[in-house]
Amino acid sequence: MHAPLTRPDRLWTAAEVLASPCPVPAEPGVYGWHFTASPHPALPAGRLLYTGIAPRRMPPGRPSRQHLRGRIRYHYRGNAAGSTLRYSLGCLLGLELRRVSERGRLTFGRAGEAELSGWMAEHARVCWTVRPEPWDLESQLIAALDLPLNLAGNEGGGFHGDLAGLRRAARVRARELPVAE
C-alpha cells in the first residue's frame, strides 16, 4: 500500500514535471515528496517527508476540478499562500514570510518564492499514485509513517511542534511588517 510513495520506482524532478507534455496524470491521487537535501538539520534527506492529495475531499454533489498534475505543478512553481508544502519549506529554509496584500495573504514575496522554487528544483522530487478517493490513503499514510512536513492529522508527529512553531512565528512576524510590494 505504501510502496508507490515510500519506495517509488521513479522520482520526478521539477524540470520533468513542468515540461510539456507533463508526465503527471490529470487524475485524482496521492503524491509524495522526497528531498535530496534536507530542508532542516533535524530532518533526513532521501526519503518521503510529505504527502498530499488531489482533490481534497469534497461534499457530495460538489465535484472538484483538482487533480495530481495541477497540484504537483503548483507546489513546484506556486506560492506559500496556496501550498502548505511551500509554506513549510520556506519557513524551514529561513525565508521571510510577508503579507502581500491588505487582506493578509502571506507568501515569501517574489524573490523568496523564486529562491524557494530554485531550491525545490534542485532538491525536491515527487512521486504519485492514482487513487479515486485519495483522502483515505492519505490519512492511512499519516497514521502509519513518520511524515514530518505534514501537519494536518499528524499532531502526534515528532517534528509537528517544531514546524508548527516555526510557521506560527513566521506568521506573527509577517503581520508586524508592512505589506510587501
Side-chain angles (χ1 to χ4, degrees), residues 16-58:
E16 292 169 319
V17 166
L18 297 175
S20 184
C22 178
V24 185
E27 296 184 52
V30 181
Y31 51 88
W33 290 89
H34 299 246
F35 300 88
T36 61
S38 174
H40 186 273
L43 300 177
R47 74 167 187 84
L48 180 67
L49 296 181
Y50 179 83
T51 187
I53 60 173
R56 287 189 142 136
R57 184 177 219 150
M58 299 295 288

Side-chain angles (χ1 to χ4, degrees), residues 77-180:
R77 66 176 181 198
N79 63 57
S83 166
T84 191
L85 174 64
R86 289 182 69 88
Y87 186 177
S88 292
L89 288 173
C91 289
L92 291 170
L93 294 169
L95 300 176
E96 183 177 65
L97 191 67
R98 296 295 302 263
R99 284 183 305 134
V100 293
S101 74
E102 289 297 334
R103 296 182 313 173
R105 191 167 160 259
L106 302 174
T107 76
F108 296 108
R110 196 177 315 258
E113 293 292 348
E115 183 179 341
L116 179 54
S117 292
W119 188 91
M120 289 183 72
E122 188 173 343
H123 301 293
R125 305 293 183 264
V126 69
C127 57
W128 58 85
T129 183
V130 172
R131 182 100 172 195
E133 295 181 343
W135 43 87
D136 294 332
L137 180 56
E138 183 190 37
S139 59
Q140 291 171 21
L141 290 167
I142 291 171
L145 302 173
D146 176 23
L147 298 169
L149 298 184
N150 281 86
L151 289 177
N154 196 22
E155 290 76 10
F159 196 65
H160 186 276
D162 295 331
L163 180 55
L166 279 172
R167 288 171 49 123
R168 189 173 11 311
R171 254 190 329 274
V172 167
R173 173 83 174 117
R175 291 188 177 124
E176 294 171 347
L177 298 170
V179 172

Side-chain angles (χ1 to χ4, degrees), residues 59-72:
R62 282 195 60 206
S64 173
R65 293 186 307 244
Q66 267 195 357
H67 48 69
L68 287 167
R69 180 183 304 152
R71 196 70 193 129
I72 290 170

